Amino acid sequence: MKKEDLLKVYACAGALWSSFKIPQRELEAQLFDEVWFDTLGAYDIKIVLFSLREYAKTNDFCNIAKVGLLCDKFTQMQNGTWIDEEEVLKEIRKAISYGKYRENFEKLSPFAKEIVGHPAYLAKWAQSSEVDTVIMSNLRKTVRNVLEKRQTENSLKAVAGKEQKKLNG
């Protein structure tokens, strides 16, 4: 998205939320532009507008940080890099086996392998009576933590990239 696209984004937000207002004072307006562009500037304008519309379906007020998260999600989906928490957990649940733990581990996606850690865990979990309660709950927390960590790292890389562009002119 280009800085000039902010006017389209603001117009869209204004059409979706009657409470949306652009600050009138110059300093506030500049900061507003900066925050919005820092949050949305890395995404294609079509993704940004789509994310605003999707966010408005379930929210009565605009939260630019949450719209940015949707932009990230939709961009990852478009690029084929989106990781769905429930799908990963289903994949791991199907792989839990005492007899075929090594071959099941090899069939897991790279992300699921990262979450499981080692094939032996699949065999260990197969012997547990707590797979559907404690173990899956712990795996869910691990998936969320890893995804949040990746998202934070990607955000930091994007910010660093923007700062480097500013320095390079």
Side-chain angles (χ1 to χ4, degrees):
M1 179 174 106
K2 296 177 249 167
K3 194 116 181 179
E4 303 83 55
D5 291 331
L6 280 175
L7 293 177
K8 287 181 191 174
V9 173
Y10 296 157
C12 182
L16 293 168
W17 294 282
S18 60
S19 61
F20 180 82
K21 304 286 184 251
I22 299 172
Q24 297 302 310
R25 289 191 229 148
E26 188 176 339
L27 179 60
E28 290 173 349
Q30 287 174 348
L31 288 172
F32 197 81
D33 287 350
E34 187 174 324
V35 168
W36 276 65
F37 191 72
D38 283 349
T39 305
L40 305 175
Y43 306 106
D44 184 87
I45 184 66
K46 291 177 184 176
I47 293 285
V48 172
L49 297 175
F50 180 75
S51 298
L52 283 168
R53 289 190 300 273
E54 288 301 305
Y55 186 74
K57 289 178 182 178
T58 56
N59 295 279
D60 294 332
F61 299 95
C62 182
N63 179 321
I64 190 58
K66 291 184 179 179
V67 172
L69 291 174
L70 278 180
C71 288
D72 192 50
K73 175 183 177 179
F74 295 141
T75 299
Q76 287 180 30
M77 290 173 87
Q78 188 177 42
N79 296 337
T81 58
W82 173 250
I83 296 172
D84 183 84
E85 176 183 318
E86 292 303 318
E87 290 301 315
V88 171
L89 293 171
K90 284 180 195 175
E91 180 184 6
I92 292 171
R93 181 67 183 100
K94 286 180 186 177
I96 294 174
S97 166
Y98 186 76
K100 296 183 175 187
Y101 68 95
R102 282 188 185 102
E103 101 184 34
N104 286 355
F105 184 81
E106 289 306 315
K107 292 178 185 176
L108 290 174
S109 66
F111 185 77
K113 284 180 184 177
E114 180 181 342
I115 298 302
V116 171
H118 192 276
Y121 285 118
L122 296 175
K124 179 181 176 184
W125 296 335
Q127 295 177 310
S128 174
S129 62
E130 298 178 326
V131 171
D132 293 321
T133 54
V134 176
I135 294 169
M136 292 310 287
S137 176
N138 289 340
L139 287 170
R140 180 179 305 282
K141 289 175 190 171
T142 301
V143 168
R144 285 185 183 154
N145 288 339
V146 170
L147 290 175
E148 285 176 16
K149 180 182 174 194
R150 284 187 179 183
Q151 188 171 27
T152 301
E153 288 170 350
N154 289 340
S155 295
L156 290 172
K157 286 178 188 174
V159 169
K162 286 180 188 176
E163 292 301 317
Q164 189 62 40
K165 283 182 183 178
K166 286 180 185 176
L167 291 174
N168 293 340

